[in-house]
Amino acid sequence: MLVGRWYFFLFCLALLALTNQVSATALNALEPELKGLYIQSQQQPATALQQIEIQLGTAAEPLRQAQLLYIQAQLQTLLVYPEQALESTAQALALINATEQPWLYHSLQLVRAFAFDLAGTPSEGMTAAEAALQYAAQQQHQPLFLQALVVRGSLQLSLVNYVEALHDFLQAYQQAPTDDALLSKGHIAGYIALVYEYRREHALAIPYFEEAVAFHQQQNSPVEVSIALYGLGKAHSQLGDLATGARKLQLSLQLAESAGDDQGVAYAQKELAAIALRQQEPNQAKQLLLQALASFEEANNRYMLLDTQLQLGRIALQSNELAAAANYLQQAMAYANPEHMPIQHAEVQRLQAEWLSQSGQADQAYQLLKASSQRLAELQREESTQLLHQLRAQYELDSRKLENELLQKELELQHSLLNSQAKHQRLLTVLLFGAIAGSLLLLFLLARIWWQRKRLHHLAHFDSLTSLPNRHYTLKLLQQQLRLASRHQYPLSIAMLDLDHFKQINDQFGHTTGDQLLRDFATECQQQLRASDVIGRIGGEEFLAILPHTTVDAAAAVLEKLRKNTEQLASRYDAPQMSTTVSIGVCGFSGYDNADTLMLNADQALYQAKAKGRNQLQQTSAS
């Protein structure tokens, strides 16, 4: 099937919703910091991927790495990078245990199933979807059960099993809440619309697309609105309302551009090209298609590569450019899997027959056209429109009955639980006292081991006086930040900071006062700098600050404020003649410097600050 962008994005959002609703018997939610990062990523998913990659470079615990990879894979699926998503989920699954973290395990498997679908092999994801569905049913885990239904339905859709797909989507739609911002009827409506879109029943798809657009506009989610508008614009244009279709698609394109969603832009360009072609503007259509093709090739989006090559082939045939048409159609056939995409495979054959006819090979053209027509007729017989309509009507009629049955089952379950609790209470009381003693001993041993590991890690990486990263760890963090800045081409600045006349402070007011000044200065640095910045102690009274995503001028402004605040530290001590000042040298990363060069440039700037009288900041540009 030519898969739309709809359900890939909905899948990512729905998975996040599960983090708030799973059983507390195992890992059941992302850490608050990571959950906040994922929610913010919906505005700029490409930027969020860079932030996650930075955190992966510093994450030590395997479970935290797995959660970061989980979010990374969801965003890669959203941006239609299936190969990267498959790699991320494979790495995450290697870090966890399916028995100890069943929710995370099955959630990762569902992401992986979607990645297989994007890569053009939906059958490879079906086993994972079935396993997650079975687990959720056994655990009576409603959110995961709904998500597994949606995943399985999406895979069935790509496998041209429309009845089974609609069955799963309608079941999920019936049981989904109406007021959940992440997994609701408004999201699942888009999946139902896809069934009708792929059946080319666009009039039936429009109400569901409109429901999704209204929901996402209410939630003020621009990326989701962009995707919903894409489906709505495509449906209108297919029904002949080209003006409305173009307007919706232009809005979708603008929202995708503002969010940095390159694939979203490409999808809108492809559909706008189809409208231009119907308006007899082949040159404009070709230009839009070539722009979209570049984005689809970068993401290896097989479905859209097929569709784009088909449209370029049609344009070439209309222009009698037979050599170009043969090339486009040959590439399209390479993507048209006859098992997973039978309709598109037949369409490629039809265009190849047209090419043969224009090339003077009428007999071969006739045979190929006959074969493709027969295949299309078989597909239409297998999936009748009336069957889909009847299935939809049946679910609507049974909705009230299903709701009553669910309530009755819930009452029966509660009654059964009460009886079971009464029977097992006596046994649990006997076992409880024995388990408490063993559990306490085990917890004590585990806590002691954890505390010792944490203490050893802290001693090896942090300064005992200021609790800042020590010289070795600070330089290691500098190397990591340099690699990231070089890879992603963002600015980075470093600064050398030296407390002025610190030896005189020790000699005149004592080492206790000097040590306290070092601790107070370290605290001031942490308060002035961002959480993403690094401040480490690399010498007695010498410190190194690393400011990623920061130009030299911006870094100088922050550090100048720190310098002024340092002057006020003297007021904290009972020493009227005591002066607390700092000299600072700032340097920017040019994109090619190594750590030694940067530190040398910052040290030279610090030397200039001291030579000019101390208590000042000197900066150098990127070398």
Side-chain angles (χ1 to χ4, degrees), residues 16 19-20 27-39 55 59-68 70-71 103-104:
L16 181 63
T19 64
N20 296 319
L27 173 68
N28 60 12
L30 298 175
E31 296 176 10
E33 173 193 355
L34 301 182
K35 188 186 300 181
L37 172 63
Y38 182 78
I39 293 174
Q55 294 198 31
E61 294 295 330
L63 187 55
R64 181 176 175 83
Q65 292 180 9
Q67 293 180 81
L68 285 167
Y70 166 56
I71 299 176
W103 170 82
L104 182 58

Side-chain angles (χ1 to χ4, degrees), residues 433-496:
F433 292 101
I436 288 176
S439 298
L440 289 175
L441 177 60
L442 179 60
L443 287 174
F444 172 77
L445 293 175
L446 291 174
R448 183 175 180 84
I449 292 172
W450 175 84
W451 180 83
Q452 288 177 344
R453 289 180 61 187
K454 185 176 181 180
R455 182 172 177 271
L456 289 174
H457 180 272
H458 192 274
L459 290 174
H461 294 85
F462 293 87
D463 174 52
S464 60
L465 177 62
T466 63
S467 296
L468 296 178
N470 58 23
R471 180 183 182 86
H472 172 77
Y473 192 40
T474 301
L475 295 180
K476 181 179 179 180
L477 293 175
L478 175 60
Q479 293 284 3
Q480 292 177 353
Q481 292 295 336
L482 285 176
R483 286 196 297 270
L484 291 171
S486 177
R487 182 186 307 170
H488 300 295
Q489 297 297 306
Y490 60 70
L492 179 143
S493 300
I494 72 167
M496 299 287 287

Side-chain angles (χ1 to χ4, degrees), residues 309-344:
Q309 299 283 7
L310 274 177
Q311 291 201 45
L312 286 169
R314 292 189 188 99
I315 294 173
L317 284 173
Q318 291 176 5
S319 304
N320 202 30
E321 299 175 0
L322 298 183
N327 181 55
Y328 288 133
L329 294 178
Q330 182 180 5
Q331 295 182 57
M333 182 58 78
Y335 295 114
N337 187 309
E339 177 183 356
H340 300 153
M341 295 175 280
I343 295 177
Q344 287 67 38

Side-chain angles (χ1 to χ4, degrees), residues 44-74:
Q44 294 290 340
T47 303
L49 276 177
Q50 297 179 2
Q51 296 178 6
I52 290 172
E53 188 171 352
I54 293 173
Q55 294 198 31
L56 280 171
T58 59
E61 294 295 330
L63 187 55
R64 181 176 175 83
Q65 292 180 9
Q67 293 180 81
L68 285 167
L69 288 165
Y70 166 56
I71 299 176
Q72 183 183 60
Q74 292 183 55

Side-chain angles (χ1 to χ4, degrees), residues 578-616:
M578 182 176 174
S579 173
T580 56
T581 61
V582 62
S583 298
I584 304 173
V586 186
C587 175
F589 174 55
S590 68
Y592 304 95
D593 302 311
N594 55 33
D596 292 337
T597 303
L598 272 180
M599 291 186 65
L600 178 61
N601 292 339
D603 205 37
Q604 289 176 351
L606 175 63
Y607 176 81
Q608 294 176 7
K610 286 186 172 293
K612 292 183 179 181
R614 294 184 170 83
N615 190 24
Q616 58 181 276

